[in-house]
Amino acid sequence: VQLQASGGGLVQAGGSLRLSCRASGRSLRYTTMAWFRQAPGKEREFVALFSWSADSTVYADSVKGRFTIFRDKAKHMLYLQMNSLKPEDTAVYYCAAERIRADVYTFWGQGTQVTVSS
């Protein structure tokens, strides 16, 4: 399985971005997929996950109400809609697939940079 993340960029505080993650290879229809982020000098942190089998979502408290994770099953795509962006959202964002436990996933994308200016 290969994951390709895209959609990052530079945006002003209060703006929006939509990240995309394309999955290729074998089917990920019944796996959990997620977004993580890592800011400079900080540990990687969980942002949101989507359970394809349960059709449910989970968000980090820091993004709840501002970010939305959703998928297009037919296109094998996972998205992260980010609204009301803050400078503290600046990070490299990674998509991940096939959750083993907690924040341990089998597959990871290459990351896309999101920079929010104040």
Side-chain angles (χ1 to χ4, degrees):
V1 173
Q2 292 183 336
L3 302 177
Q4 180 74 34
S6 61
L10 174 63
V11 63
Q12 288 188 330
S16 298
L17 281 175
R18 178 178 291 185
L19 304 184
S20 302
C21 179
R22 177 179 297 278
S24 60
R26 64 172 173 82
S27 173
L28 295 174
R29 182 176 182 182
Y30 297 107
T31 190
T32 295
M33 294 186 72
W35 289 96
F36 288 79
R37 66 187 182 186
Q38 187 167 20
K42 294 189 176 181
E43 296 285 322
R44 184 176 63 197
E45 65 173 355
F46 166 77
V47 175
L49 72 79
F50 187 96
S51 170
W52 290 57
S53 59
D55 199 20
S56 62
T57 57
V58 177
Y59 295 93
D61 288 342
S62 59
V63 306
K64 206 171 291 184
R66 300 187 298 120
F67 291 10
T68 302
I69 186 171
F70 61 100
R71 87 304 188 237
D72 183 325
K73 207 183 328 185
K75 296 182 180 179
H76 305 287
M77 296 287 291
L78 180 75
Y79 300 96
L80 184 68
Q81 177 66 41
M82 306 185 295
N83 299 328
S84 302
L85 283 162
K86 304 175 180 179
E88 52 263 42
D89 294 319
T90 295
V92 177
Y93 284 70
Y94 299 89
C95 59
E98 197 167 278
R99 188 185 193 195
I100 299 173
R101 63 182 183 280
D103 291 343
V104 180
Y105 286 73
T106 303
F107 305 105
W108 291 86
Q110 85 289 0
T112 184
Q113 176 71 47
V114 172
T115 303
V116 184
S117 62
S118 56

